[in-house]
Amino acid sequence: MEHIEGYTHLELVSENSKTLIYRALCTQTNRHVILKVMSQNYANATKIFLFNKEFEIVSNIHSPFVIKPIELIQNGQIPIMVLEDIGGISLHDYIHSKKFIQEATLHEKIHLAIK
């Protein structure tokens, strides 16, 4: 994804077959945000409906343990979920980090492996 109107400095944080996750700067608020973009290869009417429903559900969860959604925008036919940026890293990167390998307890490692 080369351009999303209203956002600059796109940095790919994570990707899989369904979504691309970017850290970006919102030009309107000058704040960093996370952009969850549905993969064009994955998008169809049903998947787009479910993506929109995910945004609706997450918007109704008021917990300090859930990243807050800001808005749902469109880039052509592709929906993009704009989320607050808490400066975190992907679970994949965390699990492979030196800190996790050295500091996580065996119980924590087993719990993540089971999930």
Side-chain angles (χ1 to χ4, degrees):
M1 174 121 335
E2 298 104 31
H3 178 72
I4 298 174
E5 189 172 334
Y7 298 90
T8 61
H9 300 89
L10 272 69
E11 169 195 348
L12 185 63
V13 174
S14 178
E15 77 177 293
N16 60 44
S17 62
K18 299 176 185 178
T19 57
L20 302 162
I21 308 294
Y22 294 97
R23 180 169 280 123
L25 183 66
C26 177
T27 56
Q28 186 177 13
T29 63
N30 205 32
R31 291 179 44 200
H32 283 95
V33 296
I34 297 298
L35 302 175
K36 182 176 181 181
V37 182
M38 180 177 284
S39 171
Q40 290 182 338
N41 297 333
Y42 183 74
N44 64 39
T46 303
K47 303 297 185 190
I48 290 171
F49 172 81
L50 293 174
F51 192 85
N52 292 336
K53 203 66 164 159
E54 176 186 344
F55 177 80
E56 181 183 327
I57 291 167
V58 174
S59 294
N60 289 309
I61 299 174
H62 305 289
S63 168
F65 305 109
V66 177
I67 293 176
K68 293 168 185 50
I70 298 169
E71 66 178 332
L72 188 64
I73 61 174
Q74 295 286 126
N75 191 26
Q77 297 296 319
I78 304 298
I80 299 172
M81 200 178 302
V82 182
L83 306 158
E84 69 177 336
D85 183 0
I86 60 168
I89 62 172
S90 71
L91 181 58
H92 178 269
D93 289 348
Y94 174 67
I95 289 172
H96 292 90
S97 72
K98 194 175 206 177
K99 181 177 180 177
F100 177 78
I101 292 167
Q102 293 176 346
E103 297 178 11
T105 66
L106 180 59
H107 175 74
E108 291 170 329
K109 291 175 182 175
I110 291 171
H111 183 73
L112 281 173
I114 292 171
K115 298 234 176 209

